[in-house]
């Protein structure tokens, strides 16, 4: 899991809609070491190619707000404890009963 700072995106810096997709060539992520290419960060973490290909990101107005394993990008993190924010967290899929939709 993430600590609070890594999971909360400040709504003042988010533009609707938030979109979940796989990363794309040219995507950048703002971390403690500056603005880095997503591809370079995944290579540094030694993420296998088959996993890397579908690595999820959350995007707002063309900018990566959140990335699996990295949390919320620095410019989007909540600045004040009273600021309105959205919690971004990846939750694994699980089987809920027999798989039939609820009536």
């Amino acid at each position: 899991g993430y600590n609070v700072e890594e999971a909360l995106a400040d709504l003042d810096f988010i533009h609707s809609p938030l979109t979940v997709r796989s990363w794309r060539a040219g995507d950048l992520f703002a971390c403690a070491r500056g603005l880095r290419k997503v591809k370079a960060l995944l290579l540094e973490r030694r993420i296998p190619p088959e996993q890397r290909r579908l690595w999820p990101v959350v995007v707002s107005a063309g900018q990566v707000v959140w990335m699996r394993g990295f949390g919320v990008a620095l410019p989007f993190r909540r600045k004040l404890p009273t600021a309105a924010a959205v919690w971004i967290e990846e939750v694994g899929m699980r089987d809920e009963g027999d798989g039939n939709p609820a009536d």
Side-chain angles (χ1 to χ4, degrees):
Y2 300 113
N3 68 38
V4 171
E5 291 78 29
E6 293 173 331
L8 287 171
D10 193 317
L11 285 176
D12 286 339
F13 302 102
I14 301 292
H15 301 283
S16 290
L18 284 175
T19 304
V20 179
R21 63 167 170 78
S22 298
W23 75 279
R24 297 177 184 156
D27 279 346
L28 300 171
F29 183 82
C31 60
R33 295 181 294 158
L35 201 56
R36 305 282 311 280
K37 288 185 176 183
V38 168
K39 181 178 182 177
L41 292 170
L42 296 176
L43 287 170
E44 285 175 13
R45 290 252 176 116
R46 293 182 169 82
I47 306 299
E50 61 277 3
Q51 291 178 25
R52 216 171 37 231
R53 188 171 45 250
L54 299 175
W55 204 259
V57 296
V58 174
V59 179
S60 170
Q63 294 186 292
V64 177
V65 172
W66 174 94
M67 187 166 114
R68 173 194 279 163
F70 293 83
V72 174
L74 289 179
F76 295 99
R77 288 189 186 171
R78 186 176 69 159
K79 309 297 186 259
L80 301 171
T82 56
V86 61
W87 183 276
I88 302 175
E89 176 183 19
E90 181 177 8
V91 178
M93 300 297 285
R94 61 188 167 125
D95 187 11
E96 297 282 342
D98 62 4
N100 292 325
D103 293 342

